[in-house]
Amino acid sequence: MRGAFVAILSIVQGATSAAAQGIITPPLSPRNASYTITARLDPSTHTIAASETLLWRNISTTTATELRFHLYWNAWRNNRSTYMRESRLGGTPPNEDADDTSDAERSRIDVTSIRLAARFAADLTAAQHFIAPDDDNESDQTVMAVPLPRPIGAGQSATIEIAWTAHVPRAIARTGVVGHFYFIAQWFPKLGVLQDDGWNCHQFHSSTEFFADYGSYDVSLTVPRGWIVGATGVERERRDEGGNATVHRYYQDDVHDFAWTTSPDYVERVELFEHPTLPRVTMRLLLQPEHAVQADRHFAATRATLQYYGEWFGAYPYDHITIVDPAYHSRAGGMEYPTLFTAGTRWLAPSGVVTPEEATVHEAGHQWWYGMVGSNEFEDAWLDEGFNQFSTARAVAAAYAPHYYTQRYFGGFVPYVFSDIVLSREVDDNGWSGYAAVATRDVQSTPSYRYFPTSAGGITYAKTALWLNTMERWLGWPLLQRIMSTYFARWKFAHPSPHDFFDTATAVAGRDLGWFFDQVYRSSNAFDYGIDDLSSVDDGGEQRTTVVVRRYGEAIFPIDVRVTFANGEQVTEHWEGRDRWKAYVYTRAAAAQSAEADPGHVLLLDVNRTNNSRSLAPRARQAAAKWSTTWLVWLEDCVLSWASLA
């Protein structure tokens, strides 16, 4: 095992050495926002002292008269920020935004110097100020604006030098410190995206994530000697400094963010992903010691992602990926960054349950729809999160079917696996219940940061996954796969809009799909079809059956209607679903047994499946089995809960 580990490390070091020798590869992205950062972590005070040099090229058609930067950590500087206000509106648990949080546990970024270098040379420190372009919240300090002494025109470049200090917060929103575990994300002054209509630089909102331009990152991190570091990119250099410190230098081209972690407790493992038609990838895993026995499961899930996403959508272009198993109570689990992601597991993770597999697949999968396709997660979060929810569910179904429902007890510590309850891709992994609960609360085309906080997940993740899965069932997987892979190929390392996907889908499908996107994207109308009435009456020795199918919701989708007769005969009708109702009348020798709307479950967005079928002959045995199973699960839950209190 050690021999294999050393061999893999030699491959990584060889690749790093080649990069250090100046071997140039063609750029995958515009590389118009590149950062050289030097940072020192002081664990005794939980502070970072840092500086950055930003090389920025204006690739828009507009002229910049100011610069705008994200200072994300200021979202938790006080309880009056937009992030905190929205968190309380959405019912965030008190331990995230309690008024009694001490200053020592809060975060902040203080820019101590900002200047232009080279031909634009000027000290801009005194001109920096905070703005709130989204809601005019004077207490929000997450966007910093700096007027320019001279405009930077289209095609021009500038060098910006910034010095800042930051206080690492108590673990919150997937960054911060707990014990000796640090996860550092969204931690540096990050330039917004200048578009043709001006700066796209939103405040930090509670239910949205991030958007930035692509570039190269060269980052030197000073941490206590002996602490393991994981970061975006590959380590090019490691050197010890006086005072019991080590400098780790990481480098990565063609990414739009940089995150890192350090801890003295990590267990490090390295393995390879190899595939007949996809590039080889070195997988580095940083595990908590108590989860060391789960290393193979993390690697297997990462391999599944690299394989299925690579085969379906396009190859992962980097030759490395880092998997981080975050510390207990660190709130760092389940988050994505370029070439690095955090998974999430439990100490007790029985087989047949996709923990840690599902989180690993999902976060690794973000390398496609977030990392390589640079969607604007402030405005169109569903282009990443929803696409990835769909892709995750499909990959998990391919790699881990069946997997089972699990209930956890004793504060979530002890799992009980219900091996008779198989979770489904369509309902469970696509998140149907989360969607159905909020289906009409927000129009998906609303900018994501304006969603009501509690509806964002159901609309962004679940609704998108369900309408993509509906497209798969309606158009067929081969066509949807071509649509998604074409979209990926056209828009990787760019900033696509929703219309870029819709145009791609229509072009690849060769048919008008606009009416469908109008329903799912530009509307909050609910889909709800059902059987309103079913009857069979004697008509001169034959049975006259009437079926009334109804559209209860406002949204429209074509569905099938299937009628089953007592002699086993079946008739399937196709209804365009535009009218409010449709009646079908049959004269048969046998009476009807049942009728069902959308029997193939093509329309996964239907918010109420309980009205989709109606039966004339009660299926007593099935009903009894259903209720007995329900009561058994309830009884088991009660018994285990009472036992925990004994």
Side-chain angles (χ1 to χ4, degrees), residues 222-551:
T222 302
V223 302
R225 189 175 301 172
W227 287 34
I228 292 176
V229 173
T232 295
V234 294
E235 190 174 42
R236 280 192 169 181
E237 180 185 2
R238 184 186 303 183
R239 68 179 188 276
D240 290 335
E241 282 192 341
N244 197 34
T246 300
V247 179
H248 301 258
R249 182 185 172 204
Y250 278 80
Y251 186 89
Q252 184 60 57
D253 290 320
D254 302 310
V255 293
H256 52 61
D257 199 0
F258 185 98
W260 59 285
T261 181
T262 187
S263 170
D265 302 321
Y266 278 131
V267 174
E268 183 178 13
R269 299 283 188 269
V270 179
E271 290 192 7
L272 285 177
F273 166 77
E274 295 182 295
H275 186 279
T277 61
L278 296 171
R280 182 170 62 180
V281 179
T282 300
M283 302 178 293
R284 183 184 183 215
L285 172 61
L286 302 181
L287 274 168
Q288 299 304 310
E290 65 270 23
H291 300 152
V293 296
Q294 298 180 29
D296 289 345
R297 296 178 67 171
H298 285 81
F299 282 128
T302 305
R303 281 192 179 91
T305 311
L306 293 168
Q307 174 190 338
Y308 289 118
Y309 280 56
E311 292 172 347
W312 295 339
F313 311 127
Y316 180 74
Y318 313 104
D319 63 3
H320 56 277
I321 192 166
T322 300
I323 310 139
V324 177
D325 172 32
Y328 184 58
H329 278 175
S330 67
R331 301 175 184 234
M335 190 58 190
E336 69 280 357
Y337 309 91
T339 79
L340 175 147
F341 66 91
T342 62
T345 190
R346 308 284 189 120
W347 181 62
L348 294 176
S351 60
V353 178
V354 286
T355 302
E357 289 83 1
E358 188 166 36
T360 302
V361 171
H362 186 81
E363 303 311 329
H366 275 297
Q367 300 299 321
W368 276 256
W369 306 120
Y370 148 84
M372 288 178 272
V373 177
S375 306
N376 184 340
E377 293 193 306
F378 284 101
E379 298 175 4
D380 307 301
W382 61 272
L383 275 175
D384 166 42
E385 299 290 359
F387 276 42
N388 196 40
Q389 184 81 5
F390 167 81
S391 307
T392 299
R394 202 170 202 286
V396 168
Y400 295 105
H403 57 283
Y404 305 101
Y405 173 73
T406 303
Q407 181 68 46
R408 288 185 173 269
Y409 303 93
F410 301 100
F413 186 71
V414 178
Y416 181 84
V417 181
F418 291 87
S419 57
D420 57 336
I421 303 178
V422 178
L423 298 182
S424 72
R425 170 190 166 198
E426 292 74 18
V427 174
D428 303 291
D429 296 339
N430 284 160
W432 177 85
S433 61
Y435 156 71
V438 300
T440 60
R441 289 190 185 177
D442 276 300
V443 177
Q444 192 171 66
S445 59
T446 302
S448 303
Y449 70 90
R450 292 181 180 170
Y451 287 172
F452 189 77
T454 57
S455 67
I459 301 298
T460 297
Y461 291 76
K463 182 176 184 179
T464 313
L466 288 163
W467 65 249
L468 282 169
N469 204 340
T470 295
M471 287 181 67
E472 177 181 342
R473 289 167 166 254
W474 164 39
L475 302 175
W477 170 240
L479 178 52
L480 181 61
Q481 184 271 329
R482 289 200 303 275
I483 289 171
M484 297 185 74
S485 62
T486 302
Y487 170 70
F488 176 78
R490 288 179 180 176
W491 292 103
K492 61 185 177 182
F493 301 106
H495 295 316
S497 71
H499 297 286
D500 294 320
F501 174 74
F502 300 147
D503 291 345
T504 300
T506 296
V508 174
R511 57 194 288 191
D512 177 26
L513 301 177
W515 65 270
F516 179 72
F517 298 131
D518 285 341
Q519 303 282 319
V520 299
Y521 172 68
R522 301 180 183 92
S523 167
S524 61
N525 290 341
F527 293 88
D528 185 9
Y529 287 90
I531 301 299
D532 185 49
D533 188 44
L534 172 64
S535 64
S536 286
V537 297
D538 184 78
D539 185 12
E542 292 186 304
Q543 296 291 320
R544 181 163 52 86
T545 294
T546 302
V547 179
V548 178
V549 59
R550 184 172 292 277
R551 176 168 64 86

Side-chain angles (χ1 to χ4, degrees), residues 21-42:
Q21 293 170 16
I23 297 175
I24 299 173
T25 57
L28 301 174
S29 71
R31 296 186 185 177
N32 66 299
S34 295
Y35 294 77
T36 300
I37 302 175
T38 301
R40 177 181 291 271
L41 171 67
D42 183 348

